[in-house]
């Protein structure tokens, strides 16, 4: 990795933490460090949230999260309780005092943002905001994780259901699973296949599969990205992961098919080096067929 790039990231991090007051134990002059303030903000903004999801979203280990929550409970800012309908899970709920504190943080955070923008002229503000939007998009992309798991897992099933539901909406005349994709999820299980789930802040946002066509050929299946995570390269990373898995499985060629309505998918495949070929299967919904030599 380029050393200059690494140093630029480090300088940026130091500048931002100083400018927003993250180094102070009195963040936004409310008497708490940034960690506690952020929890109050996230819980207050959501009106309560699942503890596991909160921990995953903020990237905190359970021990540190527990210490933060104990402190906020002692301050009567939040209440941690068993989740209704699921005795194994817990949720964090803001108290009335916590909701008032959230409102104070929300107001002061807006003023801090204004203090960053106000010294700049209009052109500079537009440049800064546009640059921040791009940095936010790229940092979100760096949070995405991809891991192999069973297509029959809860998140695996959910992703495939969302994928099929989207096809039904986008294809002319809808989509019938039995007609267009009769293969069973067993095709995507090792040793003859593979399936991955992409996650952003702990939530599933994409999937993709690989199955065996013959001894030297694999087929990419069910590559999908949630609308909330599009534009940050999730599908491309899934494709690259599946291609590497195909090499490990001994395939020298990977193929895939797609529908004419999925123009963004066709553009991605061409960008990744796939070439269009003739029909190789009897999928009635497929109108374009691609192949790549590994």
């Amino acid at each position: 990795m380029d050393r200059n790039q690494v140093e630029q990231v480090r300088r940026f991090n130091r500048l931002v933490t100083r400018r927003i007051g993250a180094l102070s134990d009195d963040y936004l002059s409310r008497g708490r460090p940034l960690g506690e303030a952020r929890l109050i903000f996230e819980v207050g903004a959501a009106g309560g949230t699942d503890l596991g999801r909160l921990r995953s979203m903020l990237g905190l280990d359970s021990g540190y999260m527990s210490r933060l929550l104990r402190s906020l409970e002692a301050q009567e800012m939040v209440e941690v309780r068993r989740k209704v309908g699921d005795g194994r899970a817990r949720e964090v709920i803001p108290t009335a005092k916590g909701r008032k504190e959230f409102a104070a943080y929300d107001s002061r955070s807006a003023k801090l943002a204004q203090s960053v923008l106000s010294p700049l002229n209009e052109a500079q503000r537009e440049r800064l905001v546009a640059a921040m939007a791009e940095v936010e998009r790229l940092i979100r992309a760096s949070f995405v994780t991809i891991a192999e798991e069973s297509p029959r897992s809860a998140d695996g099933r959910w992703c495939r259901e969302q994928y099929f539901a989207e096809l039904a909406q986008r294809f002319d005349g809808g989509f019938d699973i039995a007609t267009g994709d009769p293969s069973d999820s067993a095709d995507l299980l090792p040793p003859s296949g593979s399936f991955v789930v992409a996650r952003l802040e702990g939530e599933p946002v994409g999937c993709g599969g690989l199955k065996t066509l013959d001894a030297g050929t694999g087929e990419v299946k069910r590559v999908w990205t949630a609308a909330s995570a599009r534009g940050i390269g999730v599908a491309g990373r899934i494709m690259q992961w599946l291609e590497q898995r195909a090499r490990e499985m001994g395939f020298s060629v990977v193929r895939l098919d797609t529908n004419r309505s999925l123009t963004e998918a066709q553009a991605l495949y061409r960008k990744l080096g796939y070439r269009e070929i003739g029909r190789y299967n009897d999928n009635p919904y497929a109108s374009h067929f691609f192949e790549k030599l590994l």
Side-chain angles (χ1 to χ4, degrees):
M1 188 171 294
D2 188 286
R3 181 176 178 81
N4 291 331
Q5 292 178 337
V6 172
E7 290 304 316
Q8 177 59 65
V9 171
R10 295 180 63 187
R11 287 195 300 271
F12 179 82
N13 290 344
R14 290 194 296 271
L15 177 66
V16 170
T17 53
R18 179 169 66 88
R19 184 63 181 86
I20 68 172
L23 304 178
S24 172
D25 286 336
D26 187 18
Y27 183 66
L28 293 180
S29 302
R30 298 299 296 175
R32 299 179 193 83
L34 177 59
E36 291 185 4
R38 181 64 185 274
L39 275 182
I40 289 174
F41 185 87
E42 295 296 342
V43 173
T49 185
D50 177 83
L51 175 56
R53 183 180 183 283
L54 181 64
R55 184 169 59 240
S56 178
M57 179 184 69
L58 296 178
L60 301 178
D61 65 67
S62 57
Y64 183 52
M65 174 69 85
S66 294
R67 291 193 294 274
L68 290 176
L69 289 175
R70 283 198 298 270
S71 176
L72 293 180
E73 284 182 300
Q75 298 171 50
E76 299 180 343
M77 294 291 155
V78 301
E79 176 188 354
V80 181
R81 66 190 187 191
R82 294 290 179 187
K83 195 171 183 179
V84 177
D86 186 355
R88 298 171 299 176
R90 292 187 296 167
E91 58 184 354
V92 187
I93 305 297
T95 62
K97 186 177 179 181
R99 288 191 292 272
K100 291 181 180 178
E101 197 65 9
F102 160 75
Y105 274 121
D106 192 38
S107 174
R108 295 196 180 198
S109 181
K111 290 179 181 177
L112 174 61
Q114 291 168 2
S115 75
V116 173
L117 295 170
S118 60
L120 307 178
N121 61 41
E122 186 59 32
Q124 290 174 321
R125 292 176 189 173
E126 291 180 358
R127 287 174 56 199
L128 178 59
V129 171
M132 284 179 165
E134 178 67 2
V135 169
E136 179 186 10
R137 186 182 72 83
L138 294 173
I139 289 179
R140 287 187 79 233
S142 76
F143 284 153
V144 174
T145 62
I146 298 176
E148 186 175 44
E149 64 181 73
S150 171
R152 298 168 179 171
S153 69
D155 285 346
R157 290 196 306 271
W158 182 84
C159 285
R160 289 190 296 129
E161 288 168 0
Q162 299 303 305
Y163 165 74
F164 291 131
E166 181 166 341
L167 297 189
Q169 291 179 344
R170 298 187 62 176
F171 287 6
D172 294 336
F175 176 78
D176 176 56
I177 297 176
T179 301
D181 201 337
S183 57
D184 185 75
S185 58
D187 295 335
L188 305 179
L189 290 170
S192 61
S194 180
F195 187 80
V196 296
V197 172
R199 290 184 174 82
L200 177 59
E201 298 179 343
E203 296 296 315
V205 294
C207 67
L210 177 69
K211 63 180 284 188
T212 298
L213 287 183
D214 58 48
T217 309
E219 183 179 29
V220 172
K221 303 289 292 181
R222 301 165 193 157
V223 175
W224 170 80
T225 305
S228 62
R230 288 175 187 167
I232 59 174
V234 175
R237 286 183 56 188
I238 291 173
M239 289 292 295
Q240 291 170 356
W241 198 103
L242 293 173
E243 288 174 11
Q244 180 56 38
R245 189 73 177 92
R247 294 184 185 95
E248 295 169 357
M249 294 171 64
F251 299 140
S252 58
V253 178
V254 286
R255 290 177 174 173
L256 56 85
D257 64 41
T258 190
N259 183 271
R260 63 177 58 86
S261 67
L262 304 180
T263 54
E264 67 276 29
Q266 296 167 39
L268 172 64
Y269 302 146
R270 293 188 175 97
K271 180 180 178 181
L272 293 176
Y274 286 77
R275 68 180 184 90
E276 196 155 1
I277 61 173
R279 176 179 287 274
Y280 67 87
N281 62 30
D282 58 359
N283 180 357
Y285 295 104
S287 53
H288 295 270
F289 303 83
F290 291 88
E291 178 180 273
K292 182 176 182 178
L293 303 181
L294 301 178

